[in-house]
Amino acid sequence: MALMTAQEYIESLRKLKTRVYMFGEEIENWVDHPMIRPSINCVAMTYALAQDPQYADLMTVKSSLTGRTVNRFTHLHQSTEDLINKVKMQRLLGQKTASCFQRCVGMDAFNAVFSSTFEIDEKYGTHYHENFKNFLTMVQDNDLTVDGAMTDPKGDRSKAPSQQADPDMYVHVVERRPDGIVVCGAKCHQTGSINSHWHIFMPTISMGEADKDWAVSFACPTDAEGMYMIYGRQSCDTRKLEEDASIDVGNAKFGGQEALVVLDHVFIPNEYIFLNGEYEFAGMIVERFAGYHRQSYGGCKVGVGDVVIGAAALAAEYNGVERASAVKDKLIEMTHLNETLYCCGIACSSQGFKTKAGNYQIDLLLANVCKQNVTRFPYEIVRLAEDVAGGLMVTMPSQKDFHSGTVVGRNGETIGDICNKFFAAREGVSTEDRQRVMRFLENMCLGAAAVGYRTESMHGAGSPQAQRIMIARQGNIQGKKQLAKDIAGIQ
Ligand code: SF4
Ligand code: FE
């Protein structure tokens, strides 16, 4: 099968029997649900751009497994150039959606599991790498979206998986059969879970011998028997359910999605298992996946940042202050911060290296520095955007008020007339355009999109402390001490 179009992707989701719950009820037609659809549109953009000749070089690539043309989101990186192109592609998608477009978690899982399974087989003579290559060939040939599911609920964080009062706090094997395994547990805040065709489950921490049953990785169709999702809500999400509120929503077309993914005795056939008890490799999968996803943020958040900077500049223009030196300087600062993140994404890619399995891994230290910066700079960028935009982004009346025909004035003025009079922008700019840019910024800075641009920048791909641990491990303080000793003449 060739690459799917955006529309084919959306239609393909309707064929799945995915179980989705929201506000305490099962959602039957989740594909068209106004709170879910924007996140589907976002993933659809990864298909649409691959069909666009302007972006084909970036969005598509020859498969290392089959030689056929595949979407880069399903590719195994074959060079540092591939790693750089991945970051460029993510920046492009961020620019086109101003949201988390979700398909990267699968791409990062493919690359981490591909290289790790090779090394597990090398040690144990298992067949996980072959399983994985067959699975990925199917994914590439059908142009599927796959979710990378890592984050377990974790329960009491001072305890290992096997020590938890409730064993389901980490995904684990409850039964081993000749033809496969049965698994239970859950993964929290899974990006792009509902609108993926398949999931790859991976461990979330390093494990010891007692945790054998929790050291498990496998692929599973999203509508597998026993699997279901409970949709995560976002700030101001119910605006998407209101009538005449498309401007109030801020970004009516696109958005991200997270869900709690539950595995209630799900059977996984042998051919989809990539780790099953080889506990000492759990940490390798975690470290590699996290490394790739920390690189990813040097692309996606930068693309979203480009839109935030553009919106702040527009707000300044509409307010008539674009020439003020203080405003210009704030836009420079935002650009500087945003491009610093991009530098990190490109740097960790350009310093990548070949794994034993043959695909390319990013430089771990630089990827962790990248993500550590991402836990800070988008916050400063939205702070400056709020500064430039002014308070109107959070105090403006609703779209319905702007459209209201209710008479309130002595001369027959309606609520709409009054809103349009007092919220008028500079000459030549419509009040509605000003309204649109303010609501967009509200959405980015503290509405539904702030999930993707702020809190996800903090906690996605691991919270700040996780990067500091990696920076400590990779930072080579002993080597640096030696440098100082050599020059200072210390024996
Ligand atoms: Fe992709 Fe960024 Fe969303 Fe992760 S946070 S899935 S890298 S867009
Ligand atoms: Fe993320």
Side-chain angles (χ1 to χ4, degrees):
M1 207 181 123
L3 297 174
M4 270 198 265
T5 64
Q7 200 52 41
E8 283 166 348
Y9 159 69
I10 293 169
E11 292 312 314
S12 72
L13 296 177
R14 296 187 198 280
K15 295 187 190 119
L16 302 177
K17 292 186 233 58
T18 309
R19 279 166 70 194
V20 181
Y21 297 87
M22 192 199 293
F23 298 134
E25 285 169 11
E26 182 159 9
I27 306 292
E28 291 296 338
N29 179 9
W30 51 268
V31 174
D32 298 311
H33 192 285
M35 273 174 61
I36 301 178
R37 187 51 182 267
S39 63
I40 296 174
N41 293 341
C42 242
V43 179
M45 195 53 120
T46 70
Y47 290 88
L49 293 181
Q51 303 274 340
D52 185 335
Q54 194 186 340
Y55 303 115
D57 279 353
L58 197 55
M59 296 297 305
T60 62
V61 60
K62 284 254 175 299
S63 165
S64 58
L65 297 175
T66 66
R68 295 190 276 274
T69 299
V70 297
N71 190 301
R72 190 179 292 281
F73 277 98
T74 66
H75 185 49
L76 297 166
H77 316 300
Q78 297 300 303
S79 60
T80 53
E81 194 192 345
D82 267 354
L83 289 170
I84 292 169
N85 280 334
K86 172 197 164 188
V87 171
K88 289 183 176 172
M89 171 178 76
Q90 290 169 310
R91 185 172 188 169
L92 173 70
L93 262 302
Q95 291 171 340
K96 298 289 187 191
T97 60
S99 302
C100 164
F101 37 89
Q102 309 147 57
R103 206 175 172 187
C104 331
V105 274
M107 167 174 55
D108 292 342
F110 299 149
N111 279 277
V113 175
F114 179 79
S115 63
S116 301
T117 49
F118 183 91
E119 293 178 43
I120 304 167
D121 287 1
E122 196 181 49
K123 180 162 178 191
Y124 287 105
T126 41
H127 298 282
Y128 301 140
H129 194 60
E130 208 51 41
N131 287 352
F132 185 75
K133 281 200 293 189
N134 291 336
F135 167 69
L136 188 60
T137 302
M138 185 273 290
V139 167
Q140 290 184 340
D141 285 349
N142 293 286
D143 199 12
L144 300 179
T145 290
V146 178
D147 196 29
M150 179 164 277
T151 314
D152 294 87
K154 297 198 279 286
D156 180 343
R157 279 142 209 254
S158 70
K159 291 182 173 160
S162 53
Q163 297 166 336
Q164 298 288 328
D166 181 347
D168 292 343
M169 287 299 129
Y170 290 80
V171 169
H172 63 125
V173 180
V174 292
E175 191 188 340
R176 288 195 164 83
R177 297 184 194 167
D179 54 344
I181 54 174
V182 178
V183 292
C184 278
K187 295 287 184 182
C188 286
H189 28 81
Q190 288 311 301
T191 294
S193 166
I194 287 153
N195 44 10
S196 291
H197 303 99
W198 280 71
H199 279 59
I200 293 180
F201 288 85
M202 297 165 284
T204 196
I205 49 165
S206 300
M207 293 187 189
E209 198 174 350
D211 306 317
K212 261 185 152 173
D213 287 344
W214 288 263
V216 62
S217 175
F218 53 87
C220 170
T222 301
D223 60 352
E225 178 92 37
M227 182 160 156
Y228 56 89
M229 289 102 190
I230 303 173
Y231 203 76
R233 74 175 312 175
Q234 300 174 332
S235 176
C236 311
D237 51 9
T238 45
R239 284 192 194 183
K240 292 175 184 159
L241 302 175
E242 295 173 17
E243 273 174 33
D244 196 18
S246 58
I247 297 176
D248 291 352
V249 164
N251 182 351
K253 284 188 210 148
F254 302 109
Q257 76 158 242
E258 273 79 26
L260 175 72
V261 181
V262 181
L263 297 164
D264 179 5
H265 297 86
V266 178
F267 175 68
I268 310 296
N270 284 330
E271 67 210 89
Y272 296 119
I273 298 174
F274 312 133
L275 176 79
N276 183 10
E278 298 80 5
Y279 61 89
E280 72 275 34
F281 284 94
M284 178 187 281
I285 295 176
V286 175
E287 194 173 287
R288 291 184 181 181
F289 172 81
Y292 284 123
H293 212 56
R294 289 168 194 173
Q295 167 211 25
S296 288
Y297 279 36
C300 75
K301 302 300 178 224
V302 180
V304 177
D306 287 328
V307 192
V308 173
I309 295 167
L314 271 180
E317 184 189 319
Y318 295 173
N319 288 341
V321 295
E322 65 188 316
R323 291 210 179 82
S325 62
V327 168
K328 280 190 200 159
D329 194 56
K330 280 164 192 164
L331 294 171
I332 292 167
E333 178 65 9
M334 292 162 85
T335 305
H336 163 73
L337 292 168
N338 204 41
E339 298 300 334
T340 302
L341 299 179
Y342 190 53
C343 292
C344 293
I346 296 295
C348 70
S349 306
S350 72
Q351 296 301 298
F353 60 93
K354 196 173 185 173
T355 67
K356 281 187 180 177
N359 64 336
Y360 270 65
Q361 178 74 41
I362 42 73
D363 181 280
L364 268 182
L365 175 60
L366 297 186
N368 278 279
V369 169
C370 177
K371 173 68 215 313
Q372 181 83 176
N373 283 335
V374 172
T375 65
R376 299 170 182 169
F377 296 178
Y379 284 83
E380 180 63 6
I381 291 171
V382 291
R383 190 186 73 79
L384 289 165
E386 289 188 33
D387 180 352
V388 170
L392 195 57
M393 61 177 258
V394 292
T395 62
M396 203 169 17
S398 70
Q399 182 175 334
K400 273 189 188 146
D401 288 310
F402 280 84
H403 291 171
S404 169
T406 303
V407 174
V408 283
R410 290 182 196 278
N411 295 317
E413 300 95 335
T414 62
I415 294 176
D417 294 334
I418 295 300
C419 285
N420 278 293
K421 172 184 165 78
F422 289 110
F423 294 112
R426 64 185 274 183
E427 225 170 300
V429 176
S430 74
T431 317
E432 186 180 302
D433 284 349
R434 188 178 189 216
Q435 212 185 331
R436 283 182 185 279
V437 84
M438 291 296 176
R439 288 295 182 210
F440 174 79
L441 281 168
E442 178 197 28
N443 178 49
M444 292 307 311
C445 299
L446 38 89
V451 175
Y453 194 53
R454 288 176 48 138
T455 316
E456 192 177 49
S457 288
M458 181 68 81
H459 293 294
S463 305
Q465 197 55 31
Q467 289 111 56
R468 299 185 82 77
I469 290 166
M470 288 304 294
I471 291 168
R473 256 190 235 159
Q474 306 272 328
N476 190 17
I477 294 295
Q478 289 308 327
K480 286 170 179 144
K481 275 193 205 166
Q482 194 57 49
L483 294 175
K485 278 183 179 174
D486 289 348
I487 291 181
I490 299 168
Q491 293 298 316

